[in-house]
Amino acid sequence: MTSGYVLKKFIMVIVILIIAIAAAIFFFWQVDAEEQAPTVSKSELIESNKVWINDQMQIPLEDNVFLSIPSPSTEATIAKNGDLIIATTNPEILNKLAASNSRYDGMKAYRLRIEAKKVSEYITNTKYRYPTTTVQKKLANYEIKSGERTIETGQKAIKAESTKKSDIKLTLETTYSSKDAEVAAAIFSNKIPDEITINDNTKNLSTQKNVTIYPKSFVYDFTLQKNTMLIFKDQKEATITEPIGIEYIIK
């Protein structure tokens, strides 16, 4: 009995030591952060976004519908705050959108506004790659094993808030499939904000009965691995829906 009791105590001490060592490693573990994008001024951001238009890039409207710049009956401009604005009545483009989703059926005009900080990412979305770094919270470490990022239009129409003169304002929130997905957002080098605010000088347009506004978003769909105490591993599917702009469907 005595030897058995001593053995149990010894095993318990070993287990406690292992847990303590693991906790210490996690506490002092400095996670290698992916190099952060350099901070740019507002004027630099605006000029950078103008380059995308001047270089006649293909601009995604849906994940599988692209607009070539220049294009007939189409305007592509950078607003004073750096936002990308696309407005088109081009029948070829409208028909492609209608073929991609029934919500665009019967559309006579289309308008898109993308938030300034997301213009570069939006235009180059097909080249997007997930970060390989990790993030730590308490005794757990999170990493993304695989995934894809798509451009999607929200299912529900949104209403704009009227502001001064001819402007409208919309506040769009980022959504997460779980608490772990929210923690994982810190992995991304280009910060995913909790919300964005879009201002547009379209009060007269947005109040018309034939106009509907939808949120435009990046949807991150990925496999998230959670490592706890350097011992336990758990993988699950996660999604983050990050708003990046709005689109107008005009019928």
Side-chain angles (χ1 to χ4, degrees):
M1 290 291 292
T2 303
S3 60
Y5 175 77
V6 171
L7 180 60
K8 287 181 180 179
K9 291 284 287 184
F10 177 75
I11 293 174
M12 186 178 296
V13 170
I14 294 298
V15 170
I16 292 173
L17 283 173
I18 291 173
I19 294 174
I21 291 170
I25 291 173
F26 264 89
F27 183 79
F28 292 105
W29 188 7
Q30 298 296 320
V31 179
D32 291 329
E34 190 172 44
E35 184 178 353
Q36 297 294 310
T39 302
V40 297
S41 67
K42 183 177 179 179
S43 60
E44 289 174 329
L45 178 62
I46 292 171
E47 291 306 313
S48 174
N49 288 348
K50 286 181 179 179
V51 170
W52 293 109
I53 302 300
N54 296 336
D55 283 355
Q56 302 181 2
M57 299 292 293
Q58 280 199 323
I59 298 174
L61 302 182
E62 287 284 289
D63 221 32
N64 59 346
V65 178
F66 292 84
L67 171 68
S68 296
I69 299 297
S71 184
S73 305
T74 301
E75 290 185 1
T77 58
I78 298 299
K80 291 181 179 180
N81 68 345
D83 287 3
L84 168 66
I85 300 176
I86 300 292
T88 184
T89 57
N90 186 320
E92 182 181 354
I93 297 300
L94 300 183
N95 288 336
K96 285 183 178 180
L97 286 169
S100 72
N101 193 302
S102 60
R103 86 172 76 205
Y104 300 114
D105 288 345
M107 184 169 57
K108 296 179 180 178
Y110 175 85
R111 177 183 170 91
L112 173 71
R113 185 165 187 141
I114 299 297
E115 197 266 338
K117 293 179 181 179
K118 296 298 177 178
V119 170
S120 176
E121 283 191 80
Y122 179 77
I123 293 176
T124 60
N125 184 63
T126 56
K127 298 180 180 179
Y128 180 76
R129 297 293 181 270
Y130 273 86
T132 57
T133 51
T134 62
V135 67
Q136 179 189 342
K137 184 173 183 181
K138 296 182 179 179
L139 297 181
N141 185 263
Y142 298 78
E143 61 179 315
I144 295 172
K145 304 303 291 184
S146 62
E148 63 176 353
R149 185 179 75 178
T150 55
I151 295 169
E152 296 188 14
T153 303
Q155 295 297 317
K156 294 183 179 180
I158 51 179
K159 290 187 177 181
E161 175 187 343
S162 296
T163 59
K164 60 182 181 180
K165 298 180 181 179
S166 60
D167 292 351
I168 62 169
K169 181 175 74 172
L170 300 100
T171 300
L172 308 172
E173 295 183 352
T174 298
T175 59
Y176 307 89
S177 61
S178 65
K179 289 291 185 182
D180 284 339
E182 189 170 357
V183 173
I187 294 174
F188 298 90
S189 57
N190 290 332
K191 183 180 179 182
I192 297 178
D194 291 330
E195 64 179 28
I196 65 168
T197 299
I198 298 289
N199 293 283
D200 207 355
N201 59 341
T202 54
K203 187 173 183 178
N204 292 335
L205 174 64
S206 63
T207 54
Q208 295 179 21
K209 292 182 179 180
N210 63 330
V211 177
T212 312
I213 305 175
Y214 291 91
K216 205 76 167 176
S217 302
F218 283 144
V219 177
Y220 302 81
D221 189 352
F222 54 95
T223 300
L224 180 64
Q225 180 167 297
K226 181 179 180 181
N227 307 310
T228 306
M229 299 292 292
L230 298 178
I231 301 173
F232 307 104
K233 292 185 178 181
D234 178 36
Q235 284 193 1
K236 61 180 67 176
E237 297 305 307
T239 58
I240 299 174
T241 302
E242 177 194 9
I244 56 173
I246 55 176
E247 72 172 24
Y248 301 73
I249 297 177
I250 305 162
K251 296 188 176 183

